[in-house]
Amino acid sequence: MIDKDMQQKLITAAKLATKNSYAPYSNFRVGAAILTSNDKIFTGVNIENRSYGLTVCAERNAVAKMIDDGEKEIKAAAIFAADSQVPIPPCGACRQVLSEFGSNIEIFYSCNEEEITATTISNLLPEDSLFELKKR
Ligand code: THU
């Protein structure tokens, strides 16, 4: 279980990351912070494109940085939606990608740093697509 201090730390890291979000099309800045099994934190932001479908979410960009640094196991991920009135959980694609790197990942999300919603990847993705193919 991730304690409250670490939840807050991850949400704050995700919030700080949103300053580098590239979201000129939606004006919806998102930041993500991933905590790995080695207690390293990696952030990511959404990167949009004028060819809209090529947009990549904050969560998947954080995963890319984590893998690039040699980490493979996610303990927790936090998502901060800077321009939202409501907290937003990871999208379907990001749920699938996060789930590749941990079975019991804790997920925290917020839009104001004060109220943090907590859940798990198994709650968000109850039927693990292609679980038989997963390499651990
Ligand atoms: N977005 C994320 O970065 N993560 C999510 O989980 C949901 C959506 C981004 C994609 C796009 O740049 C903007 O939010 C609006 O959909």
Side-chain angles (χ1 to χ4, degrees):
M1 283 285 281
I2 305 296
D3 66 29
K4 292 272 178 207
D5 280 357
M6 181 53 83
Q7 291 181 27
Q8 200 70 50
K9 188 174 173 179
L10 291 171
I11 286 290
T12 299
K15 182 188 179 183
L16 286 174
T18 61
K19 75 175 192 308
N20 293 328
S21 158
Y22 180 73
Y25 302 103
S26 71
N27 291 311
F28 194 86
R29 293 165 297 161
V30 183
I34 285 175
L35 177 70
T36 71
S37 52
N38 291 321
D39 293 320
K40 289 188 178 179
I41 294 174
F42 295 87
T43 59
V45 296
N46 53 332
I47 305 177
E48 299 188 341
N49 191 273
R50 63 190 185 282
S51 176
Y52 296 166
L54 297 180
T55 290
V56 182
C57 293
E59 297 90 320
R60 276 175 285 151
N61 284 323
V63 168
K65 283 164 79 175
M66 170 195 100
I67 294 296
D68 191 47
D69 205 62
E71 295 289 295
K72 289 213 165 35
E73 183 87 27
I74 300 176
K75 280 208 285 205
I79 299 96
F80 192 85
D83 303 302
S84 182
Q85 299 303 311
V86 291
I88 59 146
C91 80
C94 291
R95 293 176 195 196
Q96 180 69 31
V97 170
L98 289 167
S99 77
E100 182 74 17
F101 302 107
S103 48
N104 202 17
I105 301 172
E106 293 186 58
I107 305 282
F108 307 106
Y109 50 102
S110 174
C111 59
N112 60 18
E113 257 189 312
E114 277 110 53
E115 297 156 74
I116 299 177
T117 305
T119 184
T120 61
I121 199 72
S122 339
N123 275 336
L124 295 176
L125 196 70
E127 302 290 333
D128 187 352
S129 177
L130 300 174
F131 70 94
E132 287 183 5
L133 294 178
K134 193 170 176 184
K135 305 279 186 200
R136 296 308 314 274

